[in-house]
Amino acid sequence: MTDAPAFIIRASRVEDAAGLAELHSQPRFRWGTLRPRYPSVDVVRKWLETRSTDDMHIVAEAEGRIIGDAVLRPGKGRRAHAADIGMGVHDAWHGRGIGTALMAALIDTADNWLDLKRLELTVWTDNAPAQALYRKFGFVEEGVLRAYAYRDGTYADALAMARLRGIG
């Protein structure tokens, strides 16, 4: 029996632009997100160079390549208690604990470093694996966003989900 290849979770860096562009071009990854087709390395690099310093963007890396990424975007002002989450995993690495590790890192930061009360995200209504991951971490459905975005030639619905810490 062989062990699955090890991976690490770390902060993203500008040098990850090519790896992130490759990750974001994966069909299944893109299907699960709002990302456009054919991301350019230059656009990804510019985003990495100009992103908010308040955001926490992390990647999962294995065998010298980026196999997942996630972001925690804290709110400001009267929404400073909340943050938005986005994440995705490389098509070839689904079901290997990458999403769980990324989500655990985001939640640890939210709970133990930023004292956030509310984490929120959207997920396609037909993305059962992602919904199961989010529920595992205490996210609950708050509503359906009908015709949320255009995907694969039709308008797709999304679930609004949130995790509240220390409330209710």
Side-chain angles (χ1 to χ4, degrees):
M1 180 172 146
T2 60
D3 293 330
F7 62 90
I8 61 165
I9 304 294
R10 62 168 175 79
S12 65
R13 46 188 181 241
V14 173
E15 297 80 23
D16 294 328
L20 285 166
E22 192 273 331
L23 172 69
H24 296 172
S25 70
Q26 297 292 304
R28 188 171 172 188
F29 179 99
R30 207 175 49 249
W31 176 87
T33 71
L34 290 172
R35 299 211 183 265
R37 297 174 81 185
Y38 313 118
S40 80
V41 174
D42 291 336
V43 167
V44 174
R45 181 177 292 108
K46 175 121 179 137
W47 172 78
L48 286 166
E49 291 171 345
T50 61
R51 65 194 156 164
S52 171
T53 56
D54 294 333
D55 294 352
M56 184 182 89
H57 184 246
I58 58 176
V59 297
E61 179 183 358
E63 302 170 352
R65 61 194 288 216
I66 305 298
I67 58 169
D69 76 334
V71 63
L72 178 74
R73 294 179 204 94
K76 297 189 184 324
R78 291 169 47 177
R79 297 264 306 143
H81 69 290
D84 178 55
I85 287 177
M87 64 184 303
V89 174
H90 191 287
D91 290 12
W93 287 79
H94 278 250
R96 298 190 196 185
I98 310 303
T100 297
L102 288 167
M103 184 59 78
L106 294 181
I107 288 177
D108 178 58
T109 299
D111 289 356
N112 299 313
W113 293 89
L114 301 177
D115 193 26
L116 295 174
K117 297 289 182 195
R118 178 181 173 84
L119 299 178
E120 50 197 31
L121 55 84
T122 56
V123 59
W124 302 120
T125 56
D126 58 359
N127 191 345
Q131 292 172 38
L133 171 68
Y134 304 145
R135 285 187 178 101
K136 180 167 83 171
F137 281 95
F139 284 81
V140 297
E141 181 179 329
E142 292 189 323
V144 176
L145 306 169
R146 295 177 43 214
Y148 180 71
Y150 196 67
R151 184 191 71 185
D152 293 335
T154 188
Y155 287 95
D157 296 345
L159 294 178
M161 297 184 78
R163 173 186 180 269
L164 300 176
R165 183 174 60 86
I167 300 174

